PDB file of all heavy atoms in Angstrom:
ATOM      1  N   ILE P  66       0.897  85.008 -84.664  1.00 94.00           N
ATOM      2  CA  ILE P  66       0.023  84.416 -83.750  1.00 94.00           C
ATOM      3  C   ILE P  66       0.608  84.286 -82.356  1.00 94.00           C
ATOM      4  O   ILE P  66       0.089  84.662 -81.306  1.00 94.00           O
ATOM      5  CB  ILE P  66      -0.474  83.066 -84.229  1.00 94.00           C
ATOM      6  CG1 ILE P  66      -1.328  83.274 -85.396  1.00 94.00           C
ATOM      7  CG2 ILE P  66      -1.276  82.275 -83.069  1.00 94.00           C
ATOM      8  CD1 ILE P  66      -2.683  84.008 -85.220  1.00 94.00           C
ATOM      9  N   LEU P  67       1.899  83.818 -82.381  1.00 92.00           N
ATOM     10  CA  LEU P  67       2.600  83.590 -81.070  1.00 92.00           C
ATOM     11  C   LEU P  67       2.957  84.913 -80.484  1.00 92.00           C
ATOM     12  O   LEU P  67       2.884  85.026 -79.180  1.00 92.00           O
ATOM     13  CB  LEU P  67       3.938  82.758 -81.278  1.00 92.00           C
ATOM     14  CG  LEU P  67       3.747  81.414 -81.651  1.00 92.00           C
ATOM     15  CD1 LEU P  67       5.031  80.677 -81.787  1.00 92.00           C
ATOM     16  CD2 LEU P  67       2.823  80.647 -80.608  1.00 92.00           C
ATOM     17  N   ALA P  68       3.174  86.005 -81.225  1.00 92.00           N
ATOM     18  CA  ALA P  68       3.452  87.379 -80.724  1.00 92.00           C
ATOM     19  C   ALA P  68       2.155  87.809 -79.951  1.00 92.00           C
ATOM     20  O   ALA P  68       2.199  88.425 -78.891  1.00 92.00           O
ATOM     21  CB  ALA P  68       3.773  88.273 -81.821  1.00 92.00           C
ATOM     22  N   ASP P  69       0.961  87.520 -80.475  1.00 94.00           N
ATOM     23  CA  ASP P  69      -0.238  87.867 -79.868  1.00 94.00           C
ATOM     24  C   ASP P  69      -0.450  87.026 -78.517  1.00 94.00           C
ATOM     25  O   ASP P  69      -1.079  87.520 -77.552  1.00 94.00           O
ATOM     26  CB  ASP P  69      -1.418  87.680 -80.845  1.00 94.00           C
ATOM     27  CG  ASP P  69      -1.655  88.765 -81.856  1.00 94.00           C
ATOM     28  OD1 ASP P  69      -0.739  89.812 -81.720  1.00 94.00           O
ATOM     29  OD2 ASP P  69      -2.371  88.675 -82.738  1.00 94.00           O
ATOM     30  N   CYS P  70      -0.016  85.847 -78.601  1.00 93.00           N
ATOM     31  CA  CYS P  70      -0.054  84.957 -77.358  1.00 93.00           C
ATOM     32  C   CYS P  70       0.843  85.488 -76.276  1.00 93.00           C
ATOM     33  O   CYS P  70       0.393  85.657 -75.180  1.00 93.00           O
ATOM     34  CB  CYS P  70       0.307  83.509 -77.642  1.00 93.00           C
ATOM     35  SG  CYS P  70      -0.876  82.541 -78.645  1.00 93.00           S
ATOM     36  N   ALA P  71       1.976  85.928 -76.694  1.00 91.00           N
ATOM     37  CA  ALA P  71       2.912  86.554 -75.787  1.00 91.00           C
ATOM     38  C   ALA P  71       2.458  87.910 -75.125  1.00 91.00           C
ATOM     39  O   ALA P  71       2.703  88.133 -73.929  1.00 91.00           O
ATOM     40  CB  ALA P  71       4.304  86.794 -76.399  1.00 91.00           C
ATOM     41  N   SER P  72       1.834  88.725 -75.985  1.00 92.00           N
ATOM     42  CA  SER P  72       1.384  90.059 -75.531  1.00 92.00           C
ATOM     43  C   SER P  72       0.078  89.893 -74.793  1.00 92.00           C
ATOM     44  O   SER P  72      -0.253  90.938 -74.063  1.00 92.00           O
ATOM     45  CB  SER P  72       1.302  90.896 -76.789  1.00 92.00           C
ATOM     46  OG  SER P  72       0.275  90.560 -77.569  1.00 92.00           O
ATOM     47  N   GLY P  73      -0.700  88.871 -74.957  1.00 92.00           N
ATOM     48  CA  GLY P  73      -1.986  88.771 -74.281  1.00 92.00           C
ATOM     49  C   GLY P  73      -3.102  89.308 -75.164  1.00 92.00           C
ATOM     50  O   GLY P  73      -4.295  89.257 -74.844  1.00 92.00           O
ATOM     51  N   GLU P  74      -2.803  89.750 -76.344  1.00 93.00           N
ATOM     52  CA  GLU P  74      -3.865  90.267 -77.261  1.00 93.00           C
ATOM     53  C   GLU P  74      -4.812  89.059 -77.707  1.00 93.00           C
ATOM     54  O   GLU P  74      -5.976  89.302 -77.785  1.00 93.00           O
ATOM     55  CB  GLU P  74      -3.219  90.978 -78.574  1.00 93.00           C
ATOM     56  CG  GLU P  74      -4.243  91.394 -79.506  1.00 93.00           C
ATOM     57  CD  GLU P  74      -3.672  92.163 -80.736  1.00 93.00           C
ATOM     58  OE1 GLU P  74      -2.487  92.418 -80.641  1.00 93.00           O
ATOM     59  OE2 GLU P  74      -4.463  92.429 -81.684  1.00 93.00           O
ATOM     60  N   GLY P  75      -4.142  87.931 -77.851  1.00 92.00           N
ATOM     61  CA  GLY P  75      -4.993  86.760 -78.151  1.00 92.00           C
ATOM     62  C   GLY P  75      -5.039  85.888 -76.799  1.00 92.00           C
ATOM     63  O   GLY P  75      -4.020  85.756 -76.150  1.00 92.00           O
ATOM     64  N   LYS P  76      -6.156  85.368 -76.578  1.00 95.00           N
ATOM     65  CA  LYS P  76      -6.262  84.526 -75.383  1.00 95.00           C
ATOM     66  C   LYS P  76      -5.907  83.065 -75.712  1.00 95.00           C
ATOM     67  O   LYS P  76      -6.576  82.404 -76.501  1.00 95.00           O
ATOM     68  CB  LYS P  76      -7.778  84.496 -74.976  1.00 95.00           C
ATOM     69  CG  LYS P  76      -8.347  85.903 -74.570  1.00 95.00           C
ATOM     70  CD  LYS P  76      -9.710  85.779 -74.058  1.00 95.00           C
ATOM     71  CE  LYS P  76     -10.259  87.149 -73.519  1.00 95.00           C
ATOM     72  NZ  LYS P  76     -10.248  88.180 -74.710  1.00 95.00           N
ATOM     73  N   CYS P  77      -4.719  82.707 -75.297  1.00 96.00           N
ATOM     74  CA  CYS P  77      -3.974  81.440 -75.910  1.00 96.00           C
ATOM     75  C   CYS P  77      -3.857  80.324 -74.931  1.00 96.00           C
ATOM     76  O   CYS P  77      -3.835  80.522 -73.658  1.00 96.00           O
ATOM     77  CB  CYS P  77      -2.648  81.869 -76.280  1.00 96.00           C
ATOM     78  SG  CYS P  77      -2.625  82.927 -77.706  1.00 96.00           S
ATOM     79  N   SER P  78      -3.899  79.115 -75.416  1.00 96.00           N
ATOM     80  CA  SER P  78      -3.639  77.993 -74.736  1.00 96.00           C
ATOM     81  C   SER P  78      -2.732  77.033 -75.471  1.00 96.00           C
ATOM     82  O   SER P  78      -2.825  77.252 -76.767  1.00 96.00           O
ATOM     83  CB  SER P  78      -4.913  77.227 -74.324  1.00 96.00           C
ATOM     84  OG  SER P  78      -5.599  76.863 -75.475  1.00 96.00           O
ATOM     85  N   PHE P  79      -2.006  76.255 -74.818  1.00 97.00           N
ATOM     86  CA  PHE P  79      -1.065  75.296 -75.478  1.00 97.00           C
ATOM     87  C   PHE P  79      -1.680  73.927 -75.423  1.00 97.00           C
ATOM     88  O   PHE P  79      -1.605  73.269 -74.249  1.00 97.00           O
ATOM     89  CB  PHE P  79       0.359  75.300 -75.051  1.00 97.00           C
ATOM     90  CG  PHE P  79       1.417  74.517 -75.822  1.00 97.00           C
ATOM     91  CD1 PHE P  79       1.709  74.837 -77.105  1.00 97.00           C
ATOM     92  CD2 PHE P  79       2.031  73.517 -75.210  1.00 97.00           C
ATOM     93  CE1 PHE P  79       2.589  74.192 -77.856  1.00 97.00           C
ATOM     94  CE2 PHE P  79       2.942  72.830 -75.953  1.00 97.00           C
ATOM     95  CZ  PHE P  79       3.309  73.116 -77.199  1.00 97.00           C
ATOM     96  N   ASN P  80      -2.385  73.370 -76.304  1.00 97.00           N
ATOM     97  CA  ASN P  80      -3.283  72.208 -76.263  1.00 97.00           C
ATOM     98  C   ASN P  80      -2.537  70.830 -76.445  1.00 97.00           C
ATOM     99  O   ASN P  80      -1.742  70.801 -77.332  1.00 97.00           O
ATOM    100  CB  ASN P  80      -4.475  72.323 -77.115  1.00 97.00           C
ATOM    101  CG  ASN P  80      -5.330  73.530 -76.844  1.00 97.00           C
ATOM    102  OD1 ASN P  80      -5.413  74.081 -75.727  1.00 97.00           O
ATOM    103  ND2 ASN P  80      -6.077  73.945 -77.815  1.00 97.00           N
ATOM    104  N   SER P  81      -2.895  69.855 -75.671  1.00 96.00           N
ATOM    105  CA  SER P  81      -2.449  68.419 -75.891  1.00 96.00           C
ATOM    106  C   SER P  81      -0.881  68.371 -76.070  1.00 96.00           C
ATOM    107  O   SER P  81      -0.376  67.851 -77.016  1.00 96.00           O
ATOM    108  CB  SER P  81      -3.019  67.919 -77.141  1.00 96.00           C
ATOM    109  OG  SER P  81      -4.438  67.997 -77.117  1.00 96.00           O
ATOM    110  N   PRO P  82      -0.241  68.856 -74.994  1.00 97.00           N
ATOM    111  CA  PRO P  82       1.324  68.718 -75.095  1.00 97.00           C
ATOM    112  C   PRO P  82       1.669  67.339 -75.044  1.00 97.00           C
ATOM    113  O   PRO P  82       1.153  66.514 -74.234  1.00 97.00           O
ATOM    114  CB  PRO P  82       1.742  69.490 -73.815  1.00 97.00           C
ATOM    115  CG  PRO P  82       0.533  69.452 -72.873  1.00 97.00           C
ATOM    116  CD  PRO P  82      -0.643  69.422 -73.685  1.00 97.00           C
ATOM    117  N   GLN P  83       2.713  66.968 -75.795  1.00 97.00           N
ATOM    118  CA  GLN P  83       3.279  65.509 -75.889  1.00 97.00           C
ATOM    119  C   GLN P  83       4.786  65.764 -75.517  1.00 97.00           C
ATOM    120  O   GLN P  83       5.452  66.298 -76.348  1.00 97.00           O
ATOM    121  CB  GLN P  83       2.968  64.904 -77.142  1.00 97.00           C
ATOM    122  CG  GLN P  83       1.572  64.776 -77.570  1.00 97.00           C
ATOM    123  CD  GLN P  83       0.798  63.796 -76.651  1.00 97.00           C
ATOM    124  OE1 GLN P  83       1.462  62.733 -76.300  1.00 97.00           O
ATOM    125  NE2 GLN P  83      -0.393  64.011 -76.214  1.00 97.00           N
ATOM    126  N   LEU P  84       5.223  65.054 -74.455  1.00 96.00           N
ATOM    127  CA  LEU P  84       6.691  65.128 -74.099  1.00 96.00           C
ATOM    128  C   LEU P  84       7.357  64.002 -74.994  1.00 96.00           C
ATOM    129  O   LEU P  84       6.994  62.929 -75.023  1.00 96.00           O
ATOM    130  CB  LEU P  84       6.837  64.818 -72.646  1.00 96.00           C
ATOM    131  CG  LEU P  84       6.458  65.961 -71.672  1.00 96.00           C
ATOM    132  CD1 LEU P  84       6.710  65.388 -70.249  1.00 96.00           C
ATOM    133  CD2 LEU P  84       7.250  67.170 -71.980  1.00 96.00           C
ATOM    134  N   GLY P  85       8.405  64.435 -75.622  1.00 96.00           N
ATOM    135  CA  GLY P  85       9.280  63.450 -76.441  1.00 96.00           C
ATOM    136  C   GLY P  85      10.348  62.980 -75.365  1.00 96.00           C
ATOM    137  O   GLY P  85      10.537  63.250 -74.241  1.00 96.00           O
ATOM    138  N   LYS P  86      11.104  61.847 -75.870  1.00 97.00           N
ATOM    139  CA  LYS P  86      12.141  61.237 -75.151  1.00 97.00           C
ATOM    140  C   LYS P  86      13.290  62.336 -75.009  1.00 97.00           C
ATOM    141  O   LYS P  86      13.629  62.977 -75.955  1.00 97.00           O
ATOM    142  CB  LYS P  86      12.599  59.981 -75.862  1.00 97.00           C
ATOM    143  CG  LYS P  86      11.638  58.831 -75.663  1.00 97.00           C
ATOM    144  CD  LYS P  86      11.737  58.251 -74.196  1.00 97.00           C
ATOM    145  CE  LYS P  86      10.986  57.010 -74.060  1.00 97.00           C
ATOM    146  NZ  LYS P  86      10.943  56.546 -72.678  1.00 97.00           N
ATOM    147  N   ALA P  87      13.841  62.242 -73.747  1.00 97.00           N
ATOM    148  CA  ALA P  87      14.975  63.127 -73.563  1.00 97.00           C
ATOM    149  C   ALA P  87      16.186  62.495 -74.361  1.00 97.00           C
ATOM    150  O   ALA P  87      16.295  61.443 -74.661  1.00 97.00           O
ATOM    151  CB  ALA P  87      15.296  63.108 -72.092  1.00 97.00           C
ATOM    152  N   TYR P  88      17.083  63.554 -74.739  1.00 98.00           N
ATOM    153  CA  TYR P  88      18.347  63.137 -75.407  1.00 98.00           C
ATOM    154  C   TYR P  88      19.473  64.103 -75.058  1.00 98.00           C
ATOM    155  O   TYR P  88      19.127  65.102 -74.453  1.00 98.00           O
ATOM    156  CB  TYR P  88      18.046  63.192 -77.028  1.00 98.00           C
ATOM    157  CG  TYR P  88      17.760  64.514 -77.469  1.00 98.00           C
ATOM    158  CD1 TYR P  88      18.666  65.456 -78.025  1.00 98.00           C
ATOM    159  CD2 TYR P  88      16.398  65.026 -77.467  1.00 98.00           C
ATOM    160  CE1 TYR P  88      18.418  66.686 -78.429  1.00 98.00           C
ATOM    161  CE2 TYR P  88      16.033  66.183 -77.915  1.00 98.00           C
ATOM    162  CZ  TYR P  88      17.069  67.088 -78.445  1.00 98.00           C
ATOM    163  OH  TYR P  88      16.754  68.338 -78.970  1.00 98.00           O
ATOM    164  N   LEU P  89      20.668  63.714 -75.234  1.00 97.00           N
ATOM    165  CA  LEU P  89      21.781  64.584 -74.994  1.00 97.00           C
ATOM    166  C   LEU P  89      22.085  65.570 -76.138  1.00 97.00           C
ATOM    167  O   LEU P  89      22.239  65.137 -77.313  1.00 97.00           O
ATOM    168  CB  LEU P  89      22.985  63.713 -74.680  1.00 97.00           C
ATOM    169  CG  LEU P  89      24.167  64.387 -73.973  1.00 97.00           C
ATOM    170  CD1 LEU P  89      23.640  64.906 -72.590  1.00 97.00           C
ATOM    171  CD2 LEU P  89      25.311  63.435 -73.757  1.00 97.00           C
TER     172      LEU P  89
END
Side-chain angles (χ1 to χ4, degrees):
I66 294 296
L67 290 184
D69 282 355
C70 289
S72 68
E74 181 178 345
K76 299 177 177 66
C77 294
S78 60
F79 189 63
N80 298 338
S81 304
Q83 298 292 320
L84 288 177
K86 282 288 185 181
Y88 63 94
L89 196 59

